[in-house]
Amino acid sequence: MPWAAPRYHRTVTTLAQRKRQLVATELTEAALQLLALRGFDAVTVDEIATTAGVSKRTFFRYFASKEDVVVQFLAGMGADMRAGLAARPAGERPSEALLHTVSVPLAACGEHAERALPVVRLILRTPALLARFLEHQARWREELTEELAARLGRDPGTDLYPRLAAGMALAAFDAVLHRWSEGGDAEVAEDPAALIGEAFAVLAPSLDAIA
């Protein structure tokens, strides 16, 4: 999606793969925008497929359900954050590396606020989707813990720092999304990239002092 985090970990090489990725992107875009506009329960798979210009059968080749569209979107965001952390320069302060890791998706949301903000609100205000979002955050914490431990040469099984640091970064990410979603329309909403910067100004001394 145009406002999603960059796919560091995905390399599309063949025409068939490019076509499949394009269809998946169009389906995701159509589904998220319809769900955000009308509400999760009000939209059918048929309507999503029609909006995307594909058949219902094609939809089910890519997604098992409406919820699966959102779940896969969240899974991709988490994979991108881990890959983004892995791509940071060796020796960079943990606060800087983690700030960049969680800033990229937030900055993309801010740049495309008219489309992203309704989707964020959909996820945070739909109990079933919020539950899946929290499940993914737990997985992201494990993935970022492993990546951060590898960067620092620490054992996440015996050293609390990597898990604490990953948890702090994701807590800031979650707090910013909630703050952003509770504001006004996209035109007047606060900039999520600026908000995460404020959050890390508080966290950075602890993150870097312990490391």
Side-chain angles (χ1 to χ4, degrees), residues 56-72:
K56 185 176 179 179
R57 178 179 295 180
T58 297
F59 175 91
F60 284 117
R61 290 195 191 114
Y62 290 85
F63 303 106
S65 64
K66 294 184 297 179
E67 183 178 287
D68 192 44
V69 178
V70 181
V71 170
Q72 288 196 31

Side-chain angles (χ1 to χ4, degrees), residues 4-10 73-88 97-107 133 136-145 147-148 151 166 169-174 177 196 200:
R7 297 297 194 248
Y8 298 99
H9 62 294
R10 296 176 184 171
F73 170 69
L74 293 174
M77 183 182 291
D80 288 336
M81 284 197 284
R82 179 171 187 167
L85 179 57
R88 299 306 298 166
L98 288 168
L99 172 59
H100 180 84
T101 297
V102 298
S103 288
V104 171
L106 291 172
F133 180 51
H136 277 280
Q137 283 198 55
R139 294 176 191 171
W140 299 347
R141 184 175 61 249
E142 295 303 315
E143 292 168 356
L144 293 183
T145 294
E147 191 60 48
L148 188 60
R151 285 174 57 84
L170 289 173
F173 176 82
D174 184 73
L177 282 183
I196 197 65
F200 267 78

Side-chain angles (χ1 to χ4, degrees), residues 146-167:
E146 293 174 3
E147 191 60 48
L148 188 60
R151 285 174 57 84
L152 299 175
R154 298 193 178 195
D155 181 358
T158 59
D159 191 330
L160 285 174
Y161 176 80
R163 188 176 303 279
L164 285 171

Side-chain angles (χ1 to χ4, degrees), residues 7 11-12 27 66 103-104 111 117 136 138 150 185 189 192:
R7 297 297 194 248
T11 302
V12 178
L27 275 170
K66 294 184 297 179
S103 288
V104 171
E111 290 168 4
L117 184 54
H136 277 280
D185 294 336

